[in-house]
Amino acid sequence: MFSASQSSKAQFLDKARQAREERRELKERERAAIQIQALIRRFLCRCRLQREIRREVEDFFEANESGSNKRSALSVFRIARKLLFVFNVKEDKERFEKLCRCILNSMDVENEPKVWYVSLALSKDLTLLWIKQIKDILWFCCEFLKQLKPDILQDSKLVNLHLTMLVTFTDTSTWKILRGRGETLRPAMNHICANIMGHLNQKGFYSVLQILLTNGLARSRPSLSKGSLTAIFSLALRPVVAAQFSDNLLRSFLIHVMSVPAIMTHLATLTPERLAVIESHELFRKFILFLSREAQCRDVCVCLEGSHTLCLLGNLVYLGSLNDKVLEEETTLFVGVLIHMLSYCQKYVSQKKSNLTHWHPVLGWFSQTVDYGLNESMPLLTKQLQHLWGVHMIRILFSDVLSKKLLENQEMAQLPAQPISPQNSLPVKSLFKRAFQKSASVRNILKPVGGKRVDSAEVQKVCSICVLYQTTLTTLTQIRLQILTGLTYLDDLLPKLWAFICELGPQGGLKLFLECLNNDTEESKRLLAMLMLFCDCSRHLITILDDIEVYEEQISFKLEELVTISSFLNSFVFKMIWDGIVENARGETLELFHSVHGWLMVLYERDCRRRFAPDDHWLRKDLKPSVLFQELDKDKKRAQLLLQYIPHVIPHKNRVLLFRNMVTKEKEKLGLVETSSASPHVTHITIRRSRMLEDGYEQLRQLSQNAMKGVIRVKFVNDLGVDEAGIDQDGVFKEFLEEIIKKVFDPALNLFKTTSGDERLYPSPTSYIHENYLQLFEFVGKMLGKAVYEGIVVDVPFASFFLSQLLGHHHSVFYSSVDELPSLDSEFYKNLTSIKRYDGDISDLGLTLSYDEDVMGQLVCHELVPGGKTIPVTNENKISYIHLMAHFRMHTQIRSQTAALISGFRSIIKPEWIRMFSAPELQRLISGDNAEIDLEDLKKHTVYYGGFHGSHRVIIWLWDILANDFSPEERAMFLKFVTSCSRPPLLGFAYLKPPFSIRCVEVSDDQDTGDTLGSVLRGFFTIRKKEPGGRLPTSSTCFNLLKLPNYSKKSILREKLRYAISMNTGFELS
């Protein structure tokens, strides 16, 4: 019973709790329903009110537009207040436009103060409310301006509307209420305008203008009208002028307005009177003074980041080009500002592409996201920047240097000044035309003299300007060539800069700059920047000038000055390497080295091609080859760097010795040299004389690289299929190699052609008619490499341009195809340079960017660029045409053949081995020395057989005939007769393999069985079996052997020998 009552009690409590919860939920629902109803009623009420207000506004504007009567300012104020109360940007866009037009219309009414909207500012009760209202309206105008696209016609009209509102109510000049007696109110009204302007600035007015300007101007053609641009710029300038050019507002103006791409150019084009306003306020000077404070300049750069800093830089440069007076007075500050801004941009310039870089059309790879919206305006930005290296600005900045007199007398000093024209700011097109006019002036040769203190103001100023241009070159990587071309446009800038360099320090030149390398001071860095700029510009100039301009017209530099400069550069680079500076060089020091070294090598290669320097000019007398070789053996870094960068300071003979040592060391390493404990592996090949090239190609092309470098023994098979007599101890292989080379380089085979002047060899463009022609060229490269590897000289004269390619010079950024063109076709070169010098309109000649060639009876058109046959050659692109044509003739046409030959050659000869030789020196390495034959050296290294000896009368006659009766040409023919090459070995006849030998013979070659005891005795005692007067001397070129009958008279020997060498009856095998 007790448990039953407990159970019923629990049920009762549970029911009571559930009832309470139900009642609470019901109350919550009721409260929620009431709240929702209230919100809905409020929303509906608000919507109804908004509809009513909007209807009222629309009715107001409709009545206004009908023009029945003019609305008072108060009614406009009230309707504006109502519209602003319910204002929604999306819904009320058109109503807002009508309000703006209504307000502007009220301002245009004549002589009705109550209609003028601005009159409410004079009402004591409404002044504050009116000011608040106009502030709100103007800010809504700004909000709309941010969204509008000026390139759309409808938006363009709205831009004008909102700008007119802003212009009208931020300045009192158009307010009719202030005319006449109202003039006394102007200070108070100006104060109200300043208040409105301050409010807009706080809200971000300059950001709005920046967005609008960027939308309208950051494109190839501006979409802002003249009126819009004038209005925007006037608005931008008002706060700055009102605040009397305070730092705060100058900063905003620079960041938001002056950083808009090419805005100054657009102002000059669309509304030049705005530029006059800038000039009247001396804004350029104020900008420079503001940015000259490092902290402020850094702050502006950090706000803008890389791309927009560059845009600001372009606008400042353009302003500078228009303000000569300010630029002359503030040169130092201007240069300092540009250096700081370029250095900031340089932080983002990357050397290579990566996942973290983006492509920038002026700066190259850029370690920051690029605003690709700016890309369209980059050509205009580049044009602005071009003023920096244009003639006009260079004359102003380098005035201290250019004012120097280099002429010998005052009459010559009075040469007419170069007129300044817009074209001079873009010197690329007209550089060449001016460069070709031969200078009539005569001046002293510039040499280091010293005497000018490096801490003087003049030197510091010139150093800063050089730092500016050097920073420009390293930052604006994609227009580097444009910059260099601009800097080299004035013929007298570089020689005068060299004269300036020559005057620095106590002694002038080298010693000062070597001291700077060891000093890590700011002053030293600036001096080295000057040297670096001089080297970069001079190298560029000499690269683009042809031989006539360098050697005959002597543009910019006299040849004697090039000798002096090259001596300075040679010493400077040598000291940098030998004193260990290059080993540890980083950053600026390494850039300096490459700059000086690049200029030096351009001069050296020009001298190799056509001499201007005296003999032994490039050698270092203080460098002993023995010391260098010892250091190389010890793997000393400085010795390796010297050999890598300036091998020309070592005498040629020593470099050839070094080359032979390198080959010998490799042979020892590969086990190709005979030793007491081991013999090298020998490759045997059998060659049919009637198919020498085919058999040689088939058997040797299969060999491995090491086997090709090793010993190869040749057995010849005659036409009857019988093995020829003879044991190959290098002699038969030498004959085989010479015969192969003679065949493959024969122009009749059409693997190689000869140049049209001195008949030098280069790959034939039509060699592709041969089957497997590329494999053939690789085989030829291997054979040529084998000859050089074994020290066998072969009479194969190559064209200079082809030797340059063999050395890899054509991969250098300083390589010029045009300079090498005379070595291919001098007549073609003259024709191309006549185009370069053509004074008229080149398009009259009807040329296109293509080359027509007769290929085996068919006319083939080669396009120099894609679509080239439809692109005419004009005065603007004629220089490109000349370079493209030269490159096509010497590279494009024979690219695959050259690559195959070089591949074969380098499989035997390592590229670094021959890198220490110039093109003429490589030719000497292949074909022997072109010097006079040293008969004493030949006599000293001659071996005698068959009874001949040094005191034998026939031998005495022979040497006497060669020395006194034969001309140098005949001596060369004699050497070719016995060795197959008309030139002596580079290191002398001690290196002729096999050594030159003379053997006494009694019978004809087909009966000759070699030396016997009887023949040797008869030869030794000059006993003749019979008079050999009818027989000719013969030779075995594979053994470098002269077979000489035992003649009875000197005159017979002279006659027979002369006849034999003129008929070239050598190449017999004993």
Side-chain angles (χ1 to χ4, degrees):
M1 185 180 168
F2 181 74
S3 60
S5 70
Q6 273 190 337
S7 173
S8 61
K9 185 179 178 182
Q11 286 176 357
F12 173 77
L13 291 173
D14 191 43
K15 285 179 181 178
R17 188 178 68 253
Q18 285 178 3
R20 276 198 309 273
E21 285 178 1
E22 284 174 6
R23 287 195 298 275
R24 188 169 64 249
E25 281 179 16
L26 186 62
K27 286 180 180 177
E28 284 291 329
R29 284 198 199 97
E30 287 175 355
R31 188 165 63 250
I34 293 167
Q35 197 169 357
I36 290 169
Q37 288 170 2
L39 285 170
I40 293 296
R41 281 198 299 272
R42 189 190 312 167
F43 172 74
L44 292 172
C45 183
R46 200 163 57 242
C47 287
R48 187 169 59 251
L49 179 63
Q50 286 174 353
R51 279 197 303 274
E52 289 172 0
I53 289 173
R54 286 191 174 105
R55 196 177 300 117
E56 187 182 345
V57 169
E58 283 172 4
D59 292 343
F60 178 87
F61 290 135
E62 280 174 17
N64 191 54
E65 284 169 10
S66 65
S68 55
N69 59 342
K70 292 171 185 174
R71 301 285 185 175
S72 68
L74 187 60
S75 64
V76 174
F77 171 78
R78 285 172 179 160
I79 207 71
R81 206 172 171 197
K82 286 181 179 180
L83 177 62
L84 293 176
F85 177 69
V86 297
F87 189 74
N88 180 283
V89 173
K90 288 181 181 178
E91 286 188 41
D92 297 309
K93 185 180 174 185
E94 288 185 16
R95 295 181 187 90
F96 185 77
E97 291 163 20
K98 289 176 181 177
L99 174 65
C100 291
R101 287 194 178 93
C102 182
I103 291 171
L104 290 173
N105 289 338
S106 78
M107 295 294 289
D108 289 336
V109 176
E110 294 289 341
N111 302 320
E112 293 197 34
K114 289 187 178 180
V115 176
W116 296 329
Y117 177 68
V118 77
S119 64
L120 299 175
L122 303 176
S123 167
K124 288 182 181 179
D125 299 332
L126 297 176
T127 302
L128 293 177
L129 292 173
W130 179 85
I131 291 172
K132 183 182 184 309
Q133 187 180 87
I134 195 64
K135 282 179 181 179
D136 291 341
I137 291 172
L138 293 182
W139 183 246
F140 282 130
C141 287
C142 291
E143 291 286 354
F144 280 116
L145 284 172
K146 280 198 283 187
Q147 298 167 14
L148 294 171
K149 304 293 180 191
D151 51 333
I152 300 170
L153 180 62
Q154 189 58 38
D155 280 15
S156 176
K157 291 177 181 177
L158 295 176
V159 166
N160 287 335
L161 173 67
H162 297 309
L163 284 175
T164 308
M165 281 293 292
L166 287 163
V167 169
T168 304
F169 292 102
T170 54
D171 185 75
T172 60
S173 58
T174 59
W175 294 3
K176 293 182 174 65
I177 199 170
L178 299 180
R179 291 176 186 171
R181 284 182 291 179
E183 189 66 39
T184 54
L185 300 171
R186 192 174 293 278
M189 294 295 103
N190 283 340
H191 185 71
I192 288 173
C193 284
N195 186 328
I196 294 168
M197 202 78 243
H199 172 77
L200 293 176
N201 281 337
Q202 283 181 347
K203 297 271 280 184
F205 180 59
Y206 275 112
S207 297
V208 173
L209 294 183
Q210 183 181 19
I211 292 167
L212 183 59
L213 284 167
T214 305
N215 288 341
L217 301 180
R219 51 186 63 244
S220 51
R221 292 181 62 187
S223 57
L224 284 174
S225 64
K226 175 181 177 178
S228 297
L229 186 57
T230 305
I232 296 167
F233 202 77
S234 299
L235 286 168
L237 212 50
R238 278 177 185 174
V240 181
V241 176
Q244 296 183 331
F245 308 98
S246 68
D247 283 356
N248 194 29
L249 281 161
L250 275 175
R251 175 183 179 276
S252 293
F253 193 86
L254 284 165
I255 290 172
H256 296 291
V257 179
M258 289 299 290
S259 67
V260 173
I263 186 172
M264 292 297 119
T265 303
H266 291 301
L267 284 175
T269 308
L270 294 173
T271 171
E273 52 276 9
R274 291 299 97 195
L275 286 179
V277 172
I278 290 174
E279 198 171 334
S280 67
H281 288 302
E282 283 208 324
L283 267 182
F284 175 61
R285 190 194 299 273
K286 291 177 172 67
F287 291 152
I288 295 304
L289 291 171
F290 175 82
L291 293 169
S292 64
R293 284 167 277 182
E294 194 176 325
Q296 292 178 173
C297 188
R298 192 187 309 113
D299 170 47
V300 169
C301 291
V302 168
C303 287
L304 291 174
E305 297 187 326
S307 289
H308 287 279
T309 299
L310 195 64
C311 296
L312 171 59
L313 184 78
N315 286 316
L316 288 175
V317 168
Y318 186 78
L319 267 184
S321 69
L322 302 175
N323 289 269
D324 292 2
K325 183 172 176 288
V326 177
L327 195 60
E328 287 166 9
E329 292 170 2
E330 308 291 353
T331 299
T332 306
L333 293 180
F334 176 70
V335 168
V337 167
L338 295 197
I339 290 171
H340 192 100
M341 293 173 78
L342 283 165
S343 301
Y344 181 81
C345 290
Q346 200 176 54
K347 290 178 186 176
Y348 298 100
V349 176
S350 180
Q351 294 302 313
K352 58 185 177 181
K353 179 183 179 181
S354 73
N355 293 332
L356 301 174
T357 58
H358 304 268
W359 179 252
H360 191 286
V362 174
L363 300 166
W365 290 114
F366 200 61
S367 61
Q368 195 183 39
T369 306
V370 178
D371 182 354
Y372 290 105
L374 299 180
N375 274 12
E376 275 191 70
S377 55
M378 280 303 150
L380 281 174
L381 172 60
T382 306
K383 279 187 179 179
Q384 283 190 322
L385 292 170
Q386 281 173 349
H387 287 281
L388 183 57
W389 50 88
V391 172
H392 185 59
M393 199 168 284
I394 285 175
R395 284 191 186 280
I396 294 172
L397 296 183
F398 278 110
S399 57
D400 291 348
V401 173
L402 290 168
S403 62
K404 292 185 177 302
K405 297 285 187 293
L406 296 182
L407 306 178
E408 283 187 348
N409 51 56
Q410 290 304 309
E411 292 78 32
M412 289 177 179
Q414 305 304 315
L415 292 176
Q418 173 69 20
I420 295 166
S421 66
Q423 284 77 20
N424 287 344
S425 63
L426 300 172
V428 182
K429 295 179 185 175
S430 49
L431 166 68
F432 301 100
K433 184 177 176 182
R434 284 209 55 258
F436 306 139
Q437 298 167 357
K438 187 171 180 179
S439 174
S441 63
V442 179
R443 56 179 170 80
N444 294 316
I445 305 307
L446 302 171
K447 294 180 179 178
V449 289
K452 185 169 285 188
R453 289 179 62 88
V454 294
D455 55 357
S456 66
E458 181 193 5
V459 174
Q460 291 301 309
K461 180 182 172 185
V462 174
C463 284
S464 293
I465 294 162
C466 290
V467 169
L468 166 62
Y469 284 110
Q470 197 55 46
T471 312
T472 307
L473 285 169
T474 52
T475 307
L476 311 181
T477 57
Q478 297 311 295
I479 51 175
R480 180 182 172 86
L481 288 179
Q482 275 189 40
I483 301 166
L484 288 169
T485 304
L487 289 168
T488 53
Y489 179 77
L490 288 175
D491 287 348
D492 56 345
L493 176 61
L494 290 175
K496 285 181 176 180
L497 189 57
W498 173 243
F500 192 83
I501 289 170
C502 288
E503 292 174 0
L504 297 176
Q507 284 92 30
L510 185 66
K511 188 178 179 184
L512 170 70
F513 288 105
L514 287 172
E515 286 173 359
C516 287
L517 284 172
N518 297 314
N519 297 334
D520 194 25
T521 62
E522 199 60 39
E523 186 180 89
S524 297
K525 287 178 182 176
R526 290 152 75 88
L527 283 166
L528 292 172
M530 182 196 299
L531 175 63
M532 195 169 166
L533 183 74
F534 171 73
C535 290
D536 285 343
C537 293
S538 303
R539 179 185 64 211
H540 178 74
L541 177 68
I542 294 296
T543 304
I544 60 175
L545 295 180
D546 59 36
D547 285 356
I548 294 170
E549 295 151 5
V550 172
Y551 292 92
E552 288 154 37
E553 296 175 3
Q554 298 189 25
I555 287 172
S556 283
F557 294 108
K558 293 187 161 297
L559 290 180
E560 294 89 341
E561 287 165 1
L562 291 181
V563 172
T564 307
I565 290 168
S566 58
S567 177
F568 165 83
L569 298 173
N570 210 33
S571 300
F572 189 79
V573 172
F574 173 75
K575 290 284 188 185
M576 279 193 82
I577 293 173
W578 206 244
D579 293 349
I581 295 169
V582 177
E583 287 179 46
N584 308 308
R586 296 283 183 278
E588 291 172 355
T589 308
L590 196 58
E591 285 176 19
L592 170 71
F593 172 76
H594 288 307
S595 182
V596 179
H597 175 258
W599 175 210
L600 171 68
M601 295 314 293
V602 165
L603 288 175
Y604 174 68
E605 283 164 21
R606 179 79 77 163
D607 184 62
C608 289
R609 200 164 55 248
R610 182 173 167 184
R611 295 297 298 274
F612 64 79
D615 293 339
D616 299 339
H617 170 74
W618 302 99
L619 301 180
R620 290 291 303 183
K621 302 291 190 297
D622 53 343
L623 176 66
K624 292 182 180 177
S626 57
V627 174
L628 178 70
F629 292 171
Q630 286 171 13
E631 294 210 1
L632 283 170
D633 288 338
K634 295 174 184 174
D635 289 332
K636 288 284 185 70
K637 186 69 175 175
R638 69 175 186 175
Q640 293 170 345
L641 288 170
L642 192 81
L643 204 60
Q644 179 185 344
Y645 286 109
I646 48 169
H648 59 256
V649 300
I650 311 160
H652 178 242
K653 185 177 179 180
N654 295 101
R655 277 180 279 143
V656 177
L657 274 170
L658 188 60
F659 171 74
R660 299 279 14 132
N661 287 345
M662 288 172 174
V663 173
T664 305
K665 281 181 181 176
E666 187 184 79
K667 284 185 173 182
E668 290 170 355
K669 187 180 175 183
L670 297 174
L672 305 177
V673 180
E674 186 89 43
T675 62
S676 55
S677 58
S679 295
H681 172 74
V682 177
T683 302
H684 294 276
I685 60 172
T686 303
I687 303 294
R688 292 170 290 178
R689 274 199 181 272
S690 58
R691 293 180 58 81
M692 192 179 290
L693 178 57
E694 294 84 347
D695 288 356
Y697 170 69
E698 284 300 327
Q699 294 186 55
L700 292 178
R701 77 186 183 94
Q702 308 290 348
L703 294 182
S704 67
Q705 189 173 313
N706 287 352
M708 273 298 293
K709 292 180 178 182
V711 180
I712 300 173
R713 296 279 183 239
V714 178
K715 181 172 279 296
F716 281 119
V717 175
N718 65 18
D719 292 344
L720 300 172
V722 179
D723 290 357
E724 292 185 3
I727 301 166
D728 185 2
Q729 291 296 328
D730 295 332
V732 179
F733 177 72
K734 178 175 179 284
E735 185 198 359
F736 163 71
L737 191 63
E738 288 166 349
E739 282 294 300
I740 283 278
I741 284 174
K742 187 178 176 185
K743 284 179 185 293
V744 294
F745 286 106
D746 183 355
L749 187 64
N750 196 35
L751 274 179
F752 287 83
K753 281 181 75 171
T754 54
T755 57
S756 62
D758 46 7
E759 296 196 335
R760 292 184 165 267
L761 294 158
Y762 70 98
S764 169
T766 55
S767 54
Y768 56 78
I769 60 171
H770 291 280
E771 191 181 355
N772 300 328
Y773 73 104
L774 293 180
Q775 288 91 327
L776 266 172
F777 271 103
E778 189 174 0
F779 171 69
V780 172
K782 287 180 178 178
M783 290 294 96
L784 190 63
K786 179 68 173 173
V788 174
Y789 195 76
E790 299 298 344
I792 300 170
V793 289
V794 287
D795 206 354
V796 183
F798 285 115
S800 173
F801 81 89
F802 179 68
L803 289 166
S804 293
Q805 293 185 40
L806 206 56
L807 288 166
H809 289 172
H810 59 299
H811 294 306
S812 166
V813 291
F814 314 123
Y815 179 80
S816 171
S817 299
V818 178
D819 290 340
E820 293 277 16
L821 190 57
S823 69
L824 171 66
D825 190 335
S826 56
E827 197 59 38
F828 187 69
Y829 171 74
K830 284 178 186 173
N831 293 338
L832 277 184
T833 49
S834 68
I835 291 173
K836 188 178 178 180
R837 289 171 167 74
Y838 188 74
D839 286 332
D841 186 354
I842 203 77
S843 58
D844 295 341
L845 302 181
L847 298 169
T848 60
L849 295 183
S850 61
Y851 173 62
D852 293 329
E853 183 186 26
D854 185 353
V855 180
M856 293 178 284
Q858 284 191 328
L859 193 66
V860 178
C861 178
H862 303 281
E863 292 190 328
L864 303 178
V865 294
K869 62 184 176 185
T870 61
I871 302 173
V873 176
T874 62
N875 289 344
E876 284 71 30
N877 67 8
K878 66 180 181 181
I879 299 301
S880 297
Y881 170 73
I882 291 165
H883 282 270
L884 286 167
M885 186 68 87
H887 187 267
F888 177 79
R889 286 289 306 275
M890 293 191 296
H891 298 273
T892 310
Q893 268 195 315
I894 56 171
R895 182 183 287 126
S896 54
Q897 294 94 321
T898 304
L901 188 142
I902 290 173
S903 172
F905 185 78
R906 288 182 176 174
S907 68
I908 309 295
I909 302 293
K910 292 181 180 177
E912 57 269 25
W913 290 352
I914 55 169
R915 213 167 274 151
M916 55 183 165
F917 300 109
S918 63
E921 289 170 343
L922 179 60
Q923 182 65 67
R924 288 164 67 188
L925 194 68
I926 293 168
S927 300
D929 211 329
N930 52 6
E932 274 281 318
I933 296 167
D934 187 345
L935 287 175
E936 287 302 315
D937 185 43
L938 180 59
K939 190 192 296 185
K940 183 179 173 183
H941 297 99
T942 301
V943 181
Y944 302 102
Y945 297 107
F948 278 162
H949 50 84
S951 302
H952 195 289
R953 67 176 186 181
V954 175
I955 299 302
I956 292 170
W957 290 342
L958 174 68
W959 294 120
D960 187 57
I961 289 166
L962 288 171
N964 300 315
D965 296 344
F966 276 19
S967 65
E969 290 77 19
E970 287 176 316
R971 285 195 284 273
M973 287 166 67
F974 169 76
L975 191 62
K976 187 175 177 73
F977 176 71
V978 293
T979 68
S980 79
C981 186
S982 59
R983 296 178 176 186
L986 268 179
L987 299 174
F989 288 101
Y991 286 83
L992 185 65
K993 301 294 180 192
F996 176 57
S997 51
I998 305 173
R999 185 153 72 85
C1000 178
V1001 293
E1002 300 174 318
V1003 293
S1004 61
D1005 280 336
D1006 55 349
Q1007 298 170 315
D1008 186 10
T1009 56
D1011 292 340
T1012 63
L1013 181 60
S1015 69
V1016 171
L1017 289 171
R1018 280 193 296 275
F1020 189 82
F1021 293 109
T1022 63
I1023 302 167
R1024 293 186 302 282
K1025 289 171 77 176
K1026 58 181 180 180
E1027 175 58 53
R1031 291 189 50 231
L1032 290 171
T1034 57
S1035 66
S1036 290
T1037 56
C1038 54
F1039 291 112
N1040 299 325
L1041 171 66
L1042 174 64
K1043 300 177 192 176
L1044 202 59
N1046 193 352
Y1047 293 113
S1048 59
K1049 291 182 181 176
K1050 182 180 179 183
S1051 58
I1052 296 172
L1053 171 59
R1054 185 190 307 113
E1055 178 193 339
K1056 298 296 181 185
L1057 185 61
R1058 186 169 272 150
Y1059 182 77
I1061 64 171
S1062 63
M1063 296 301 291
N1064 199 17
T1065 56
F1067 297 105
E1068 283 87 7
L1069 179 69
S1070 296

